[in-house]
């Protein structure tokens, strides 16, 4: 199959919008759809807007989904998109979906003569804008090879296994990220209580063995300046880490730390709300530290 020069894109929100802009800037023609009229309007000058999800699949060989979760993905497919897929179409689910449901959905898509590939991303809105997302591809070798030039316009592509593997790895990655952010936040807040300057701590830690994405990126860019605007919500983080915990339990891996991480994040989301930026968990921890003083 030749390298795709056009495609459909469903889900033009915080992540989808900058991803589409990168595709269009690289010469890809995009048929775009979103249930939010404002999202479509924001891209109307650079895409071909369509009124329904099935219409996004008209005349294209690739359809990309960037949606909140498996429930929404299945709703869109059952709402007419599945029947609109022409034989040979590559359906790319870049959402953070559940891997076992992805495998089941792939069988249904195959029944239409099309192929489902999962390709979730890590890197947030800033990575989407810069084209530096990590894209974890799960699916057949031939489909992954066909999609690589297109996906590479949006970031660093890694073919990680068969269908569902991308969604599994994305969930496990976010479990590690969530645990790192909790651990680093607790440590930095303890340092503050002792009298250390957080910026001094971060400078030292980031040249030491305790460094992580949280100390190198989230704390200096979103927590220290108190902007809390990474673009990834706490609600989505909890969804992903619950998927990861389920995978750990299903495979018989000890998961005490994962379970505790999910518990603490769940408590934070109950108080902050699911739409809070995920970096606000540091603010939540600080507040609880004050209350316990």
């Amino acid at each position: 199959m030749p390298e795709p020069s056009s495609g459909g894109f469903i889900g033009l929100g915080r992540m989808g919008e900058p991803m589409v802009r990168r595709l269009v800037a690289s010469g890809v023609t995009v048929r775009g759809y979103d249930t939010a009229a404002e999202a479509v309007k924001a891209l109307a000058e650079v895409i071909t807007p369509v009124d329904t999800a099935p219409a996004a699949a008209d005349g294209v060989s690739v359809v990309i989904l960037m949606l909140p979760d498996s429930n929404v993905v299945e709703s869109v497919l059952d709402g007419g998109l599945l029947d609109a897929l022409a034989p040979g179409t590559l359906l790319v689910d870049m959402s953070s979906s559940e891997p076992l449901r992805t495998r089941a959905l792939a069988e249904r898509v195959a029944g239409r003569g099309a192929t489902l590939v999962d390709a979730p991303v890590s890197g947030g809105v800033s990575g989407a804008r810069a084209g530096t997302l990590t894209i974890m591809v799960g699916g057949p070798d031939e489909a992954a090879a066909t999609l690589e030039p297109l996906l590479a316009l949006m970031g660093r592509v890694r073919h990680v296994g068969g269908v569902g593997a991308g969604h599994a790895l994305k969930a496990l990655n976010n479990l590690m990220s969530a645990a790192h952010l909790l651990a680093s936040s607790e440590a930095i807040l303890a340092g503050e209580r002792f009298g250390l300057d957080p910026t001094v701590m971060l400078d030292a830690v980031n040249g030491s063995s305790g460094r992580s994405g949280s100390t190198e990126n989230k704390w200096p860019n979103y927590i220290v300046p108190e902007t809390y605007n990474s673009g990834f919500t706490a609600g989505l983080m909890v969804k992903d880490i619950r998927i990861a915990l389920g995978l750990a339990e299903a495979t018989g891996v000890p998961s005490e730390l994962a379970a505790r991480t999910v518990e603490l994040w769940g408590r934070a989301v109950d108080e902050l709300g699911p739409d809070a930026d995920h970096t606000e968990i540091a603010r939540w921890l600080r507040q609880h530290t004050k209350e316990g003083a």
Side-chain angles (χ1 to χ4, degrees):
M1 183 182 292
E3 177 182 333
S5 59
S6 63
F9 203 109
I10 299 171
L12 308 175
R14 283 183 291 187
M15 289 294 291
E17 184 262 341
M19 292 166 72
V20 165
R21 289 192 183 278
R22 291 204 64 85
L23 292 175
V24 171
S26 299
V28 179
T29 301
V30 175
R31 296 175 64 82
Y33 172 75
D34 196 286
T35 56
E38 313 82 57
V40 178
K41 184 177 180 181
L43 287 165
E45 294 183 1
V46 297
I47 65 171
T48 300
V50 295
D51 294 330
T52 66
D58 288 348
V60 299
S61 59
V62 175
V63 177
I64 294 174
L65 307 177
M66 178 49 82
L67 301 168
D69 55 36
S70 289
N71 289 336
V72 179
V73 169
E74 291 174 6
S75 176
V76 169
L77 266 290
D78 291 337
L81 179 61
L82 183 60
D83 292 335
L85 298 176
T89 301
L90 295 177
L91 178 65
V92 188
D93 183 8
M94 302 189 78
S95 320
S96 293
S97 299
E98 299 172 41
L100 294 179
R101 292 173 72 175
T102 297
R103 287 181 175 177
L105 192 57
E107 294 182 6
R108 295 179 58 200
V109 171
R112 293 286 309 174
T115 301
L116 175 65
V117 173
D118 50 307
V121 304
S122 180
V125 174
S126 60
R129 289 173 179 155
T132 57
L133 296 169
T134 294
I135 304 172
M136 308 167 209
V137 178
D141 291 347
E142 182 179 356
T146 298
L147 288 167
E148 183 168 2
L150 181 70
L151 296 178
L153 300 175
M154 297 178 282
R156 185 178 69 114
V157 182
R158 293 293 182 270
H159 185 201
V160 300
V163 66
H167 284 149
L169 183 53
K170 168 63 185 296
L172 294 168
N173 172 81
N174 278 11
L175 174 60
M176 289 185 275
S177 176
H180 295 165
L181 184 52
L182 273 176
S184 63
S185 295
E186 288 182 351
I188 292 170
L189 292 175
E192 279 187 333
R193 275 291 191 87
F194 184 76
L196 293 168
D197 183 329
T199 59
V200 173
M201 293 179 69
L202 289 167
D203 181 63
V205 167
N206 286 334
S208 306
S209 59
R211 68 185 181 276
S212 68
S214 295
T215 62
E216 292 178 332
N217 176 34
K218 297 175 187 181
W219 260 88
N221 293 325
Y222 308 114
I223 299 172
V224 170
E226 299 184 342
T227 55
Y228 305 110
N229 60 349
S230 74
F232 185 66
T233 69
L236 289 176
M237 178 65 89
V238 169
K239 173 185 68 70
D240 288 350
I241 64 178
R242 284 177 175 158
I243 293 171
L245 176 59
L247 283 173
E249 292 174 340
T251 55
V253 174
S255 51
E256 291 182 29
L257 179 57
R260 182 61 172 156
T261 299
V262 169
E263 178 190 347
L264 287 171
W265 274 91
R267 284 172 50 195
V269 167
D270 285 344
E271 295 185 28
L272 294 170
D275 293 331
D277 194 88
H278 80 288
T279 58
E280 289 191 58
I281 196 166
R283 180 171 65 82
W284 178 79
L285 285 169
R286 180 178 278 116
Q287 182 61 42
H288 280 259
T289 299
K290 290 178 180 178
E291 291 173 355

